[in-house]
Amino acid sequence: MSPSLPSGLLGDLDPTSDRAVFRQIADQLRDAIGKGRFREGEKLPSEAELVDHYGVSRMTVRNSFSVLIGEGLVHAEHGKGVFVRPRPPVRRLASDRFARRHREEGKSAFLVEADAAGGHPQVDSLEVKEEKADPDVSARLGSLRRVLARRRRYLLDGRPVEFATSYLPLDIARGTQIAEPNPGPGGIYARLEELGHHLDHFEEEIRARMPTPAEVKMLHLAAGVPVIHLIRTAFDAEGRAVEVCDTVMAADAYVLAYRLPAT
């Protein structure tokens, strides 16, 4: 006999509702997660426990789990059960992450965020090469035909959380440390300023969408987890666009935070 669930942990089904039974169960599990009855990383009741509690079939319970998995709220581990997905570990404070003081300390933006999250940062899948600019990048950089592209994947505590490609004008980047796999302390923005391109401001465009198959593979995304697609353009003090960064982030890895002026 399956062990019974603690009293009050989950409610009862409403036989008068026109909502499908498996969706009612998903609703109750979602509500319990939202109220903290099941915490991050905690295992949900087993199929057997839910079958016993609700008096339904295993297939009905599995359909309920599928709803929550599709929402990115939980994930299944083969042979172990279904677990509540952790909340985003990285708080991305857009108004501070590119502050000059961080570059002067030799820290890139991702290193600043990783330090704040208390995680171990890594960069892999690194590729640096000259290539033809696509129409969007070309337009943002002033109708350039070719650019230096820097592609890299960021990991936090061994988990892929972000994939970014920076595009820079060849007349700035060619033959400099920016074109090397390791651009040095402070990253490419520190090198740009050393080359006389004092950074003045950034423009970011953000949208959320579902990932492509390649992005699912690159970021090891679970079913139902969307991505944050961000395109950032960096401008120097002369008003020239000196970099375009196309970034895809796992939505379950980041909280986007902004500090806005009051006037």
Side-chain angles (χ1 to χ4, degrees):
M1 179 179 294
S2 301
S4 61
L5 297 177
S7 176
L9 185 65
L10 294 171
D12 298 318
L13 299 176
D14 180 0
T16 67
S17 174
D18 59 1
R19 189 162 177 78
V21 169
F22 77 93
R23 295 194 181 278
Q24 288 190 51
I25 296 173
D27 292 343
Q28 292 195 15
L29 290 170
R30 186 189 304 105
D31 182 65
I33 292 170
K35 291 179 178 177
R37 295 173 187 166
F38 301 110
R39 301 185 182 278
E40 295 178 35
E42 187 175 344
K43 183 180 176 182
L44 293 184
S46 68
E47 288 183 5
E49 288 172 320
L50 292 175
V51 165
D52 181 67
H53 177 78
Y54 290 112
V56 297
S57 69
R58 283 184 177 269
M59 184 56 67
T60 298
V61 171
R62 289 171 185 171
N63 288 340
S64 302
F65 284 155
S66 293
V67 170
L68 300 180
I69 290 171
E71 294 174 355
L73 191 60
V74 303
H75 68 280
E77 295 186 16
H78 184 68
K80 295 182 179 180
V82 178
F83 297 81
V84 179
R85 292 186 63 82
R87 293 181 180 178
V90 182
R91 188 169 185 263
R92 182 186 178 100
L93 185 59
S95 58
D96 180 73
R97 64 192 308 267
F98 298 122
R100 183 165 289 105
R101 70 179 185 278
H102 298 316
R103 296 193 291 278
E104 292 173 348
E105 294 172 356
K107 294 182 178 181
S108 66
F110 183 71
L111 183 58
V112 171
E113 293 167 345
D115 285 349
H120 174 63
Q122 292 175 273
V123 178
D124 72 352
S125 302
L126 181 64
E127 177 187 59
V128 184
K129 68 175 184 178
E130 295 183 11
E131 64 184 37
K132 181 180 178 181
D134 71 31
D136 182 65
V137 169
S138 176
R140 292 172 188 270
L141 290 176
S143 301
L144 298 182
R145 296 183 62 185
R146 294 186 63 80
V147 292
L148 178 78
R150 296 182 55 89
R151 293 183 174 85
R152 64 273 189 201
R153 182 175 66 169
Y154 294 96
L155 293 81
L156 187 67
D157 294 331
R159 174 195 172 189
V161 295
E162 177 179 331
F163 184 77
T165 304
S166 288
Y167 301 96
L168 300 105
L170 289 182
D171 67 301
I172 294 176
R174 179 183 277 167
T176 72
Q177 197 170 356
I178 294 172
E180 299 295 324
N182 183 358
I188 62 175
Y189 289 158
R191 304 292 80 75
L192 283 168
E193 295 204 317
E194 289 172 356
L195 292 168
H197 295 278
H198 189 85
L199 295 176
D200 179 76
H201 68 279
F202 303 89
E203 294 180 359
E204 292 190 339
E205 302 169 22
I206 304 172
R207 66 189 179 102
R209 58 172 173 79
M210 296 309 295
T212 66
E215 290 164 350
V216 170
K217 183 177 181 180
M218 176 66 72
L219 295 175
H220 299 180
L221 297 174
V225 176
V227 293
I228 301 165
H229 186 191
L230 182 149
I231 298 178
R232 180 180 65 252
T233 306
F235 295 86
D236 66 14
E238 303 301 319
R240 181 182 180 183
V242 294
E243 182 231 19
V244 171
C245 187
D246 190 318
T247 304
V248 176
M249 297 174 281
D252 62 347
Y254 282 93
V255 171
L256 299 184
Y258 289 84
R259 184 176 295 140
L260 302 176
T263 58

